[in-house]
Amino acid sequence: WTHRSSQPPVLDRLRPFLTSGSPDGLAFSPSGDILAFDAEAPGDSHRNIYSQRMDAASPTRLSPGLTNEICPTWSPDGTRLGFLRDLAPDRFGIFLMSSDGRNERKVAELRKGATPSLRWSPNGLWLAAAEPVQAGGPGVVLIQVRTGEKRLLTTPPAGWRGDSLPAFSGDSSSIAFRRTGVLSGNEDLYLVSTSAGPPRRITFDQRGIGGLAFLKEGGIVFSSDRKSTRLNSSHLGLSY
């Protein structure tokens, strides 16, 4: 069962960090002192992967800048980054590199058609993304880091827009994701085991969801349109 917490996380230390390049796909390193993101900084021809220490004045570009590269995600030990690279109008490549931008390796490919996202499991074994299912909207897929083998984890109902934004639980046993109904913005959160099985719906608001992440204590924080057109932060506690 789930419950909506009356005390969401307190965000009381806000400060400007990046002021150009339209940064997106922000991901903290496991140590919390480095931020990875994609951006198109002044002088760039494409979106590139950058990282910046929290005490640094400027970021460092990690990717070569030959095509769009987005959605960085950290390995659990903080030594590597995964990301998506534009390969063709219909395909992304999933790549890994060292945290300094070296030792690049291609893991797999994804068909385009889902909201781009990529997450690395806390146990280090899997990456999660979303990819169009043959007969319908996108579903959540697991990609084995070592071999690149893909496994479809969810299939949305026929006619629905599909599943996206997968996020691993702290023990890597579950994935929370956004499921979009027939109408755009008709969205709720679902939870599915990484060992397969049917997903379980955990919100029932049918309102737009912009992003989600698991908290260390096991709950989920997500951004969502819950009051008119304002984007608000909500917090779910989870019990299994």
Side-chain angles (χ1 to χ4, degrees):
W1 57 276
T2 66
H3 65 276
R4 194 179 304 280
S5 170
S6 59
Q7 297 295 327
V10 177
L11 306 176
D12 60 353
R13 296 183 182 179
L14 304 181
R15 67 178 177 90
F17 186 67
L18 298 165
T19 58
S20 65
S22 301
D24 201 359
L26 284 74
F28 278 105
S29 65
S31 58
D33 60 346
I34 305 174
L35 189 65
F37 55 93
D38 62 74
E40 188 171 346
D44 288 349
S45 300
H46 306 280
R47 296 196 70 82
N48 295 291
I49 305 299
Y50 285 83
S51 71
Q52 183 171 342
R53 299 191 65 87
M54 300 306 292
D55 57 358
S58 60
T60 299
R61 196 176 85 181
L62 302 179
S63 56
L66 302 178
T67 187
N68 287 322
E69 293 157 325
I70 59 174
C71 301
T73 182
W74 290 90
S75 65
D77 62 4
T79 63
R80 291 184 291 172
L81 282 162
F83 62 96
L84 299 180
R85 173 176 289 161
D86 228 343
L87 294 183
D90 63 341
R91 283 179 292 118
F92 285 117
I94 300 175
F95 287 80
L96 307 182
M97 63 180 170
S98 301
S99 59
D100 60 4
R102 297 184 295 178
N103 303 315
E104 185 182 287
R105 175 172 74 89
K106 182 180 176 182
V107 176
E109 294 187 3
L110 283 177
R111 294 187 302 277
K112 291 183 180 179
T115 300
S117 65
L118 188 67
R119 296 289 184 94
W120 204 319
S121 64
N123 65 10
L125 300 178
W126 299 95
L127 295 161
E131 182 177 49
V133 179
Q134 294 276 348
V140 173
V141 292
L142 289 178
I143 305 99
Q144 193 174 76
V145 172
R146 185 175 61 84
T147 66
E149 176 188 352
K150 291 194 294 185
R151 175 162 60 91
L152 181 64
L153 202 59
T154 72
T155 302
W160 286 36
R161 292 177 178 258
D163 304 337
S164 56
L165 304 182
F168 285 97
S169 62
D171 61 2
S172 303
S173 68
S174 301
I175 286 178
F177 63 94
R178 178 182 70 184
R179 174 162 284 179
T180 305
V182 176
L183 299 176
S184 177
N186 186 339
E187 297 172 339
D188 276 298
L189 294 181
Y190 285 71
L191 194 68
V192 66
S193 169
T194 52
S195 60
R200 175 164 57 96
R201 187 176 178 179
I202 58 175
T203 69
F204 297 84
D205 304 282
Q206 297 183 346
R207 304 294 295 271
I209 294 170
L212 63 139
F214 273 87
L215 301 172
K216 284 186 177 181
E217 60 268 28
I220 296 173
V221 62
F222 62 102
S223 61
S224 179
D225 179 4
R226 288 296 190 267
K227 293 181 181 178
S228 183
T229 58
R230 294 172 53 198
L231 199 65
N232 298 276
S233 173
S234 298
H235 176 226
L236 284 177
L238 296 179
S239 298
Y240 300 91

